[in-house]
Amino acid sequence: MVLVCSVGLLALLVSVQCLTREQLFDYGIQFGDQILDSSTDSVKALELQQTLYFFKGKFDKVYVSTNGFISMAEPSDESEYLGKMPASFGMIAAFLGDLDTTDGAGYVYFRQDKSPDVLQRAADHIRQAFPSDEEIEPTHTVIVTWENVLGQGSERGDGFEFARNTFQLVVANMYSASYAILLYPEEKMQFGSTLIDDVDVPVEVGFNEGVVPGWFGWSTTQGSYYRVTEDSEESVSALALETNSGQPGIWVFEIGTSPLFSSIVPGQVTEVTEVTSEETVVDTPAPEPTSVQTSEPPYEPLTSRPETLSESSTPDEFQYRYVPPQQPQNPEVLIIDEDELSVNVFSYNYETCSSNKHKCSAFADCRDYADGYCCHCKPGYYGNGKDCVAEGKPQRMNGKVNGRLYVGNSPSPVEFSSNDLHSYVVANDGRAYIAVSSIPASIGPSLQPLPALGEAIGWAFALEQPNYHNGFSLIGGVFTRQAEVIFQPGNERLTIRQEFGGIDEHDHLVVSTHLDGRIPEVPREATVQIEPYNEIYQYSSNLITSSSRRDYTVNMPDGSVRKHSYLWTQSIRFQSCPHEELMSSVPDSQQLSVDQIFVMYDSGNQLIRFAMSNKIGSIHSGIPEQNPCFTGRHGCDTNAVCRPAQGKDFTCECAAGFTGDGRVCYDVDECSESPQICGSYSVCINQPGSFRCECLDGFQFASDGRTCVETERPVDHCQRGTHDCDAPERARCRYTGASSYVCACLPGFSGDGRACQDVDECQTARCHSDAICYNTQGSFTCQCRPGFHGDGFSCTPGSGGEQTACERHRAAALASTSSSFRPRPALGQYVPSCDGYGAYEPLQCHAGLGQCWCVDASGQEIPGSRTEAGRRPMCIDYNVAPPLIGPTPRPDISPLTPGADLLFAQSGRIELLPLDGSRMSADKARALLHVPGKVVIAVAYDCVEQTVYWSDITQPAISRAAITGGQTSVLVSRDLGSPEGIAIDHMSRNMYWTDSILDRIEVSRLDGSHRRVLFDNDLINPRPIITDPAHGHLYWADWNRDGPKIERSSMDGTDRTVLVQDGLGLPNGLTYDPQTRQLCWADAGTRRVECMDPFSRLRRKLTEGIQYPFAIVSYGGKLFYTDWRREAVVAMEHQDGMEVEEFLPQRRSRTYGITITYPQCPAGLNYCSAENGGCSHLCLPRPGGFSCRCPDARDGSCVEPDQNF
């Protein structure tokens, strides 16, 4: 169905209102837009804050072009793609043609926007276009607006000499899809073709994939080009008349999805109906979409055509409905019966106060009109309704100045880069003050003839004469000003372009200034005097122009005087409310009178200063007004308005927001007088004459711009259990940020994660040929057949099990007895002790000699562990996990000994989080230790004595306590700066720590005695530290922002080396798994978790995009890390980096250090395990040996041998 918006045949129609310019998404510098350089082919890159999906690709940068498109790669010269589509690069063509913005009236605005009202409006358009789609929640938009752009060759003499187009592209991004919203306001689309190589070529709208790799990457081929318009101006014109989203002029397309993409998908709502009314119709053909097949099959058409409508049998009740033709050249009008129009009325009207009131100033009322709304300032205020200021209140203006100027005959320009511009005007006498900072002496004196840099604020707030209005009263604070200056007699030219962005939250008028051109040189030490002048302003709808001649005198340093002048022309463009005739009540011409002009260049402070008095009134000469309110000589407070009376009488009245007698006014603190003025969840901030409201943390302004609503927080459906993944025994839910998640089947199952089926491993013959395979859910077991024994993966004939090495050793010792009754050892014979599983007991003793010693798993004596009679060494059990009996699990799954817990720090407490295997038992979490008033940073655990160690940075100290309860002990409290990392060597009974203020690494005994500094050089911010006592290695990370690194040394301080130095940001967490030889770290700067083998230096990235990790620990095939921003403990798979769990403590605050409590100490020994290695004080292990070291504090009893062992 075609929706009629234009003029033609008079009839009764089914019609809706076409898109207007006011219904575009907000744009302009006041909304944070950037402006593309004026050009016929300007391009600027835009780094995206969120990924854009386009066809099969993902993009983090786009390029905005004058020529009506954005591209995914830097575009080639326009001669290579205009009229030659499809192009070699990816492109969203909103209105592709040879467009021009060089005349100062056309602009290209662009920005990224995540504000709730913009995201909501984008979502509304997409939902309207795709009513069956669910979960449309954009999180990021790119808004590009082409305003009043010209087409090359638009001056054709056909009545459209000054044809201009305004249109808009909005790209809405979600976490797995992107949409394009194209908006074409009907009254602003005035041409449909441009000249290309002297040929009139219709513009194109569509989506071009660009060149894509061919099969196997051996070649490239041209990708798909989805074209919306045809090669006719009629199809282009119909862009503003038709729709696929439910409102004429608005088109919506799904342009990319992840992980799979099939084709560009157009919106599905092509019909909108409203009440019948008398209208006029233009027989305008509509665009037929076409799809150019290149490497992909053709796509579906843009719209589905309605069936032909039947003719009515009651001519007296005829209505006309326009139906799009199959061929654009042959439009037709079909007659239908009114009774057949049994359709629902759909209203999609944004243009009412109910949906736009928030766009009005807080000091304005919104008023509905027949075809829209307007804002009107309340009594006591003036402006255009969207910007309102109190009558009589002074006004400030702030902004930046950019551009470049040439001075005199200099070949080199002076660059302006965000120079500050400040202005202040006393509204009740029209006096304005302007200052521009950071002006070098090379150009400062030459700027003195140009008070025009800040003159606009003088016009905007000029003192009004009776029945005349200053600029702000008429057009508010949002407008564009362009001025051209031609200096006489040298003909130097200067262009001044200013974008006024309205009143900001501080009640300041915001302006952006750009300068370009050449100005005559004024010598240093010269002064300038500008004569008073008058300038006539001509007013029309949305445009104000003026011109004048300015005379000035240069007083040279030698005392001579030179007279100069310049010609000045300017245009001011603005958008007035289209629903009221405001300008009809304004005189066509008004005169701005400027006198008392002061100019000065302050070389000491590099400031150029201007001041002037401004009045706006009649262009005709007459008797000047004598009332002080009109002369400015009234004596009212600067924060008061002067009210004229008869003759020269007047009264002073404090401006709104101030109180007093008018001669003296004081600011009213609205926040104190009306504490609830801002409403719930907000804070009131007083300002001179006003106030502003800010939402509390966790809240943001709703679409009305005034009500604070709770920030929409991401929902972790995995944690809540509101996901649609399969049962937890078959699938895993992984939280991916925002409110998204992915489902994945567990090992042993197959499927998409939402439906998982058991994999029958027995079909792949994994067991021994003499074993029986039993399939189980997610796994399998193997059992040797009768007559065989073994673990099912290896079966040998026989019914009994073989003896272990210890059992054979023991049997042999017992066999050497002379007794015939029972085996017994010979005198002096050593008989090994075997445990219940046949393994060597770690402690072996000689019954005859009384000596004891430690052995390893093979029964070999550990050197240095033998003791004298009556004493027993401390030995480590190498056989922590007993051998499995019966059916076994999969051989690649190692069962974990139960009883392990996570310990993590939360400011003044240490929490205990039990583990069930490697899963966190959230319901059993509890506080292990309270240390009020402290900030616990690092935690470590001694598995031998079951003791937790921690560091506190408030009153720096290192302490410990038994996890079973009891008193805490302060171990180290002196000579500490900020101890942020602790590592325990449970074998050597030593403790290591880092100090990020003293920049050193120290070691001591576990009780804090015998302190020794290992390193105090080349350290800036050392934090995490870990030990590998079985192999004698020490690892630590330094998060120095200028040079982060990860290092390793021997535990005695020798052999220091840097392991990782590239690709680091803030390596906060560090852990080492000796079983897999993987050193892993969590980086809060790169937001990654990475691992490496510290011996081969092979490095791999596990995951990225995490938030702010602090500490990390490895256990049971998983990595557990604490996250500051999530205030959580997060678990991820060691193998693939997939997040599998999140624990949120009941008491929410930052989480710090984390460690694991083992039910039994990890297997292993080092040379310091027994008798402190024979050292008198510190025994420090190293690979293949150890070193005896003395503490830094002098101790005469310490012996430090000359050689290491």
Side-chain angles (χ1 to χ4, degrees):
M1 165 182 172
V2 166
L3 305 163
V4 182
C5 318
S6 302
V7 180
L9 301 174
L10 181 64
L12 287 176
L13 299 175
V14 179
S15 66
V16 297
Q17 183 181 14
C18 281
L19 187 73
T20 65
R21 175 174 173 173
E22 289 70 32
Q23 289 177 289
L24 297 178
F25 284 70
D26 290 331
Y27 65 91
I29 61 171
Q30 67 272 31
F31 298 102
D33 280 354
Q34 300 181 58
I35 301 178
L36 199 63
D37 293 339
S38 297
S39 172
T40 60
D41 187 18
S42 184
V43 175
K44 191 166 185 179
L46 179 64
E47 297 283 349
L48 299 181
Q49 299 164 359
Q50 183 173 318
T51 298
L52 184 154
Y53 299 96
F54 188 60
F55 285 90
K56 302 182 184 70
K58 300 179 181 180
F59 301 90
D60 296 315
K61 179 192 290 187
V62 296
Y63 296 82
V64 181
S65 170
T66 304
N67 288 333
F69 68 87
I70 69 170
S71 61
M72 309 304 134
E74 187 167 4
S76 54
D77 186 83
E78 63 178 20
S79 62
E80 298 182 17
Y81 61 82
L82 288 179
K84 302 176 182 178
M85 292 293 289
S88 61
F89 52 90
M91 171 199 298
I92 301 175
F95 201 81
L96 177 63
D98 194 359
L99 307 183
D100 185 357
T101 61
T102 58
D103 69 336
Y107 309 105
V108 181
Y109 300 90
F110 61 96
R111 75 177 185 274
Q112 301 180 72
D113 200 322
K114 293 184 178 180
S115 59
D117 55 337
V118 168
L119 296 179
Q120 182 61 48
R121 183 169 176 191
D124 289 343
H125 283 306
I126 298 170
R127 293 191 189 106
Q128 179 62 28
F130 298 94
S132 61
D133 285 10
E134 299 178 354
E135 298 184 3
I136 300 295
E137 296 291 342
T139 53
H140 171 260
T141 61
V142 178
I143 302 175
V144 186
T145 309
W146 288 264
E147 180 189 48
N148 293 331
V149 294
L150 288 170
Q152 289 293 332
S154 61
E155 299 182 4
R156 300 191 298 262
D158 57 0
F160 294 94
E161 291 83 4
F162 302 101
R164 299 179 183 274
N165 282 1
T166 296
F167 54 93
Q168 194 171 65
L169 164 65
V170 179
V171 179
N173 296 312
M174 301 193 297
Y175 286 109
S176 59
S178 293
Y179 293 82
I181 305 170
L182 303 169
L183 301 99
Y184 303 99
E186 191 260 345
E187 82 279 12
K188 292 297 180 180
M189 301 297 292
Q190 300 174 355
F191 66 87
S193 63
T194 62
L195 279 180
I196 299 176
D197 295 331
D198 296 325
V199 177
D200 209 20
V201 179
V203 300
E204 297 184 39
V205 178
F207 306 93
N208 180 57
E209 188 175 14
V211 172
V212 296
W215 289 103
F216 308 109
W218 291 342
S219 62
T220 59
T221 183
Q222 181 66 46
S224 300
Y225 179 31
Y226 183 100
R227 187 167 176 184
V228 178
T229 55
E230 293 182 340
D231 290 328
S232 67
E233 286 198 55
E234 289 79 7
S235 71
V236 177
S237 299
L239 288 169
L241 306 178
E242 286 197 340
T243 181
N244 67 6
S245 71
Q247 183 179 7
I250 301 179
W251 302 80
V252 181
F253 300 85
E254 184 182 67
I255 59 173
T257 55
S258 177
L260 300 175
F261 174 81
S262 57
S263 65
I264 301 289
V265 180
Q268 302 161 1
V269 182
T270 59
E271 296 192 14
V272 177
T273 57
E274 279 195 352
V275 295
T276 59
S277 61
E278 277 201 356
E279 291 286 348
T280 51
V281 183
V282 169
D283 293 339
T284 305
E288 282 277 359
T290 60
S291 180
V292 180
Q293 180 174 337
T294 52
S295 63
E296 299 290 336
Y299 294 124
E300 293 296 322
L302 172 66
T303 59
S304 57
R305 296 301 179 189
E307 297 180 1
T308 305
L309 300 174
S310 61
E311 184 173 332
S312 169
S313 60
T314 53
D316 292 339
E317 299 177 358
F318 283 168
Q319 287 190 339
Y320 287 87
R321 177 191 250 181
Y322 180 73
V323 178
Q326 297 300 321
Q327 299 297 326
Q329 298 87 340
N330 301 306
E332 59 178 322
V333 177
L334 297 183
I335 304 173
I336 64 172
D337 192 337
E338 181 181 35
D339 295 334
E340 294 181 11
L341 296 177
S342 57
V343 292
N344 294 324
V345 175
F346 171 73
S347 176
Y348 200 82
N349 184 15
Y350 288 107
E351 295 303 298
T352 62
C353 286
S354 60
S355 58
N356 290 277
K357 187 176 181 180
H358 64 280
K359 294 183 180 179
C360 297
S361 166
F363 309 110
D365 295 317
C366 186
R367 185 181 307 165
D368 280 319
Y369 291 81
D371 53 354
Y373 75 97
C374 286
C375 304
H376 299 274
C377 295
K378 296 178 180 180
Y381 295 85
Y382 65 101
N384 67 343
K386 293 191 175 182
D387 284 317
C388 298
V389 298
E391 293 178 350
K393 180 184 173 183
Q395 184 60 48
R396 294 184 182 274
M397 179 176 74
N398 293 328
K400 301 291 184 181
V401 179
N402 293 282
R404 61 180 186 174
L405 291 180
Y406 295 85
V407 179
N409 297 318
S410 173
S412 302
V414 176
E415 300 286 345
F416 290 78
S417 179
S418 295
N419 297 58
D420 287 321
L421 184 152
H422 298 286
S423 183
Y424 177 81
V425 61
V426 181
N428 61 18
D429 68 8
R431 186 71 175 165
Y433 304 87
I434 302 104
V436 184
S437 64
S438 304
I439 303 296
S442 59
I443 195 173
S446 302
L447 289 177
Q448 292 180 99
L450 289 171
L453 292 176
E455 180 189 73
I457 196 172
W459 164 76
F461 297 96
L463 185 62
E464 296 174 335
Q465 302 303 295
N467 302 318
Y468 291 89
H469 305 280
N470 60 30
F472 195 88
S473 297
L474 296 174
I475 68 173
V478 179
F479 56 92
T480 300
R481 174 184 186 239
Q482 180 151 324
E484 302 292 335
V485 184
I486 303 175
F487 293 89
Q488 302 294 341
N491 207 36
E492 296 92 346
R493 293 174 179 264
L494 167 66
T495 300
I496 303 173
R497 176 179 171 80
Q498 292 182 306
E499 292 281 345
F500 289 80
I503 304 294
D504 67 7
E505 67 273 18
H506 302 289
D507 275 346
H508 296 169
L509 182 60
V510 180
V511 63
S512 173
T513 302
H514 189 274
L515 306 176
D516 189 25
R518 185 180 296 273
I519 60 177
E521 183 177 12
V522 174
R524 299 189 186 189
E525 307 302 328
T527 61
V528 172
Q529 180 179 347
I530 300 177
E531 301 300 325
Y533 62 89
N534 297 322
E535 186 166 346
I536 295 176
Y537 282 69
Q538 304 284 345
Y539 294 78
S540 61
S541 177
N542 298 335
L543 178 66
I544 300 172
T545 59
S546 72
S547 61
S548 63
R549 174 189 174 94
R550 311 279 177 87
D551 297 315
Y552 65 96
T553 302
V554 179
N555 300 304
M556 305 297 288
D558 60 5
S560 61
V561 175
R562 297 181 183 177
K563 300 285 187 178
H564 297 280
S565 65
Y566 56 80
L567 301 178
W568 164 272
T569 59
Q570 71 169 344
S571 62
I572 298 173
R573 298 181 181 274
F574 61 98
Q575 186 67 44
S576 62
C577 183
H579 311 299
E580 64 171 353
E581 295 297 328
L582 175 66
M583 288 300 175
S584 62
S585 61
V586 178
D588 292 339
S589 301
Q590 296 188 104
Q591 180 170 279
L592 178 70
S593 300
V594 183
D595 58 14
Q596 301 180 51
I597 304 170
F598 167 82
V599 298
M600 183 189 75
Y601 174 64
D602 181 352
S603 59
N605 294 306
Q606 290 196 321
L607 289 172
I608 183 75
R609 300 181 186 273
F610 306 101
M612 64 201 75
S613 294
N614 306 270
K615 295 183 179 69
I616 193 80
S618 172
I619 62 174
H620 303 293
S621 59
I623 300 174
E625 290 290 341
Q626 298 301 312
N627 190 287
C629 291
F630 303 124
T631 64
R633 301 183 179 90
H634 43 64
C636 297
D637 190 273
T638 56
N639 293 301
V641 59
C642 181
R643 302 291 188 192
Q646 287 294 111
K648 295 184 179 182
D649 294 337
F650 66 94
T651 59
C652 298
E653 180 183 312
C654 291
F658 294 88
T659 184
D661 62 3
R663 297 284 181 174
V664 178
C665 298
Y666 304 95
D667 176 48
V668 175
D669 188 345
E670 294 87 352
C671 301
S672 297
E673 295 193 0
S674 304
Q676 303 302 319
I677 194 171
C678 284
S680 303
Y681 312 115
S682 63
V683 59
C684 179
I685 300 173
N686 188 58
Q687 296 178 163
S690 182
F691 66 95
R692 76 175 191 271
C693 303
E694 289 187 0
C695 294
L696 298 174
D697 288 342
F699 293 84
Q700 64 185 11
F701 286 116
S703 58
D704 64 3
R706 298 170 188 176
T707 305
C708 292
V709 296
E710 188 171 7
T711 304
E712 182 180 348
R713 297 184 177 180
V715 177
D716 185 348
H717 293 284
C718 298
Q719 178 73 19
R720 274 194 185 179
T722 53
H723 57 80
D724 60 350
C725 301
D726 205 342
E729 59 268 20
R730 294 188 293 274
R732 171 192 302 124
C733 178
R734 178 190 176 194
Y735 177 59
T736 57
S739 296
S740 302
Y741 61 92
V742 294
C743 302
C745 294
L746 293 173
F749 296 90
S750 64
D752 62 359
R754 289 172 170 78
C756 299
Q757 297 79 36
D758 174 57
V759 175
D760 187 354
E761 294 88 351
C762 294
Q763 298 297 323
T764 58
R766 296 197 177 192
C767 299
H768 191 269
S769 58
D770 293 316
I772 300 173
C773 180
Y774 298 93
N775 186 55
T776 62
Q777 286 292 305
S779 187
F780 69 100
T781 59
C782 300
Q783 189 171 2
C784 293
R785 298 177 184 275
F788 295 84
H789 68 88
D791 61 2
F793 298 99
S794 176
C795 299
T796 57
S799 57
E802 296 181 0
Q803 288 185 325
T804 66
C806 182
E807 290 170 337
R808 291 195 299 270
H809 188 175
R810 181 175 62 185
L814 293 174
S816 60
T817 177
S818 57
S819 170
S820 58
F821 297 100
R822 51 186 280 181
R824 53 188 300 180
L827 185 63
Q829 176 71 36
Y830 156 64
V831 178
S833 299
C834 305
D835 63 16
Y837 302 103
Y840 283 98
E841 293 278 7
L843 176 66
Q844 299 288 331
C845 295
H846 194 294
L849 301 178
Q851 296 178 344
C852 295
W853 60 92
C854 299
V855 298
D856 59 19
S858 63
Q860 297 298 311
E861 180 177 347
I862 302 298
S865 63
R866 188 178 290 263
T867 63
E868 300 299 326
R871 299 182 61 185
R872 294 193 171 204
M874 181 186 68
C875 301
I876 303 299
D877 188 356
Y878 281 93
N879 303 287
V880 173
L884 297 173
I885 305 298
T888 61
R890 290 171 52 179
D892 58 339
I893 300 176
S894 300
L896 297 172
T897 305
D901 301 316
L902 289 173
L903 299 180
F904 66 92
Q906 259 194 311
S907 190
R909 61 198 279 164
I910 297 175
E911 296 272 340
L912 183 144
L913 178 57
L915 294 177
D916 180 6
S918 63
R919 294 183 64 86
M920 296 184 286
S921 300
D923 56 334
K924 298 178 182 178
R926 61 183 175 88
L928 175 70
L929 185 68
H930 291 271
V931 281
K934 309 294 184 183
V935 177
V936 178
I937 296 295
V939 290
Y941 181 69
D942 174 26
C943 58
V944 176
E945 296 181 347
Q946 296 187 332
T947 304
V948 59
Y949 291 72
W950 70 91
S951 68
D952 164 38
I953 61 170
T954 53
Q955 296 175 339
I958 298 174
S959 307
R960 71 179 175 185
I963 62 171
T964 55
Q967 294 294 319
T968 63
S969 302
V970 177
L971 307 176
V972 183
S973 59
R974 295 183 178 179
D975 195 22
L976 285 178
S978 182
E980 297 183 10
I982 302 177
I984 301 298
D985 175 1
H986 68 278
M987 297 179 182
S988 308
R989 317 305 294 154
N990 294 328
M991 171 175 64
Y992 296 79
W993 69 88
T994 59
D995 193 315
S996 65
I997 288 183
L998 301 181
D999 299 335
R1000 64 193 187 193
I1001 296 175
E1002 291 190 65
V1003 63
S1004 75
R1005 298 294 287 169
L1006 286 182
D1007 60 1
S1009 63
H1010 307 332
R1011 290 175 62 176
R1012 179 184 178 92
V1013 174
L1014 278 187
F1015 303 107
D1016 60 0
N1017 66 310
D1018 199 18
L1019 293 171
I1020 302 298
N1021 295 113
R1023 177 172 285 161
I1025 186 168
I1026 52 175
T1027 60
D1028 176 17
H1031 300 95
H1033 288 126
L1034 185 70
Y1035 301 89
W1036 69 91
D1038 188 327
W1039 58 268
N1040 171 24
R1041 293 180 183 272
D1042 295 326
K1045 59 185 175 179
I1046 298 174
E1047 296 187 80
R1048 179 184 67 189
S1049 75
S1050 299
M1051 294 174 69
D1052 63 353
T1054 60
D1055 300 323
R1056 179 180 179 182
T1057 184
V1058 175
L1059 293 177
V1060 186
Q1061 204 162 13
D1062 297 326
L1064 296 177
L1066 297 173
N1068 277 338
L1070 200 61
T1071 186
Y1072 180 70
D1073 182 358
Q1075 302 299 321
T1076 60
R1077 292 206 322 181
Q1078 288 291 295
L1079 177 72
C1080 299
W1081 62 92
D1083 194 314
T1086 63
R1087 299 172 63 196
R1088 294 176 179 172
V1089 175
E1090 297 185 74
C1091 295
M1092 76 176 300
D1093 183 327
F1095 303 98
S1096 67
R1097 305 291 178 95
L1098 293 177
R1099 177 176 173 181
R1100 64 191 179 100
K1101 178 180 68 178
L1102 281 188
T1103 190
E1104 63 181 341
I1106 59 177
Q1107 297 194 27
Y1108 203 101
F1110 188 84
I1112 191 168
V1113 68
S1114 173
Y1115 180 71
K1118 290 183 180 176
L1119 293 169
F1120 301 86
Y1121 70 88
T1122 55
D1123 194 297
W1124 267 16
R1125 291 191 180 144
R1126 293 170 67 172
E1127 298 178 347
V1129 177
V1130 183
M1132 61 186 294
E1133 293 286 2
H1134 202 308
Q1135 197 66 28
D1136 59 9
M1138 177 178 287
E1139 181 179 319
V1140 291
E1141 280 188 282
E1142 179 190 52
F1143 172 70
L1144 298 172
Q1146 186 175 7
R1147 174 179 173 270
R1148 299 302 298 276
S1149 64
R1150 284 180 173 177
T1151 49
Y1152 291 89
I1154 189 169
T1155 191
I1156 194 84
T1157 70
Y1158 297 97
Q1160 293 175 297
C1161 287
L1165 291 172
N1166 63 30
Y1167 288 93
C1168 296
S1169 297
E1171 297 298 318
N1172 199 37
C1175 298
S1176 62
H1177 286 68
L1178 289 172
C1179 180
L1180 305 180
R1182 57 182 175 81
F1186 66 98
S1187 300
C1188 293
R1189 292 290 180 257
C1190 293
D1192 291 333
R1194 292 186 178 180
D1195 187 336
S1197 64
C1198 180
V1199 177
E1200 187 171 304
D1202 294 334
Q1203 61 181 11
N1204 298 327
F1205 297 92

